[in-house]
């Protein structure tokens, strides 16, 4: 039962966080794409994975710092929209999983080509 609640919370946050970002005054934050949300520690923490898009390292650090400052406003938005008493603490990260998956796919393709040549 607890797993269902966790998945439901993750799904709701995946929809609410982009809405909350759109209500902020910062243009850099309005266009961020939330790739995934993962709740941990009994839904006390939510790790929010963002799409890197075309941000360089410096821009990513700046955005993460801004998000850290705005996290309370984002939590308040989510609580007011859902009528929750409390909201998980947000931890924002840029998602490296797509790059990793592309790398693994390229390795498998390379192995396949070598096997086809043999």
């Amino acid at each position: 039962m607890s797993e269902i609640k966790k998945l439901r919370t993750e799904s709701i946050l995946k929809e609410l966080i982009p809405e909350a970002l759109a209500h902020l005054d910062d243009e850099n934050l309005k266009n961020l794409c939330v790739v995934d949300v993962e709740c941990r520690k009994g839904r006390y923490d939510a790790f929010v994975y963002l799409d890197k898009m075309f941000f360089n390292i410096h821009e990513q650090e700046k955005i993460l710092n801004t998000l850290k400052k705005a996290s309370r406003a984002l939590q308040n938005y989510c609580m007011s929209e859902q009528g929750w008493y409390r909201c998980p603490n947000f931890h924002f990260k840029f998602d490296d999983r797509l790059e990793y998956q592309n790398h693994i796919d390229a390795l498998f393709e390379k192995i396949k080509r070598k096997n086809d040549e043999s």
Side-chain angles (χ1 to χ4, degrees):
M1 189 65 158
S2 160
E3 183 67 20
I4 293 171
K5 288 181 181 179
K6 184 182 97 141
L7 291 172
R8 183 169 179 251
T9 302
E10 290 173 349
S11 176
I12 291 169
L13 288 174
K14 198 171 178 180
E15 291 177 21
L16 282 178
I17 292 172
E19 288 176 22
L21 290 171
H23 283 86
L24 296 176
D25 291 332
D26 192 332
E27 287 299 318
N28 290 332
L29 302 183
K30 285 184 178 186
N31 298 322
L32 288 176
C33 179
V34 175
V35 176
D36 197 15
V37 176
E38 182 181 327
C39 291
R40 296 185 190 161
K41 296 182 183 177
R43 295 182 297 161
Y44 286 104
D45 289 318
F47 289 83
V48 181
Y49 295 96
L50 306 167
D51 186 10
K52 285 185 174 183
M53 290 187 229
F54 302 105
F55 299 121
N56 62 37
I57 298 295
H58 177 68
E59 291 170 330
Q60 289 176 19
E61 289 174 7
K62 183 179 176 186
I63 289 170
L64 290 176
N65 285 334
T66 307
L67 284 169
K68 195 173 190 177
K69 293 174 186 175
S71 68
R72 191 68 192 148
L74 299 173
Q75 286 176 308
N76 288 336
Y77 179 86
C78 293
M79 286 189 297
S80 68
E81 285 295 309
Q82 287 296 307
W84 290 344
Y85 176 71
R86 66 172 311 279
C87 186
N89 296 319
F90 296 138
H91 305 281
F92 294 96
K93 296 180 177 185
F94 280 96
D95 191 18
D96 292 329
R97 295 180 288 183
L98 183 60
E99 289 176 6
Y100 179 75
Q101 183 64 41
N102 289 339
H103 176 70
I104 296 296
D105 289 343
L107 289 175
F108 280 124
E109 186 63 33
K110 188 176 180 181
I111 293 170
K112 182 181 175 191
R113 276 189 265 125
K114 278 193 175 189
N115 286 339
D116 290 344
E117 291 174 1
S118 300

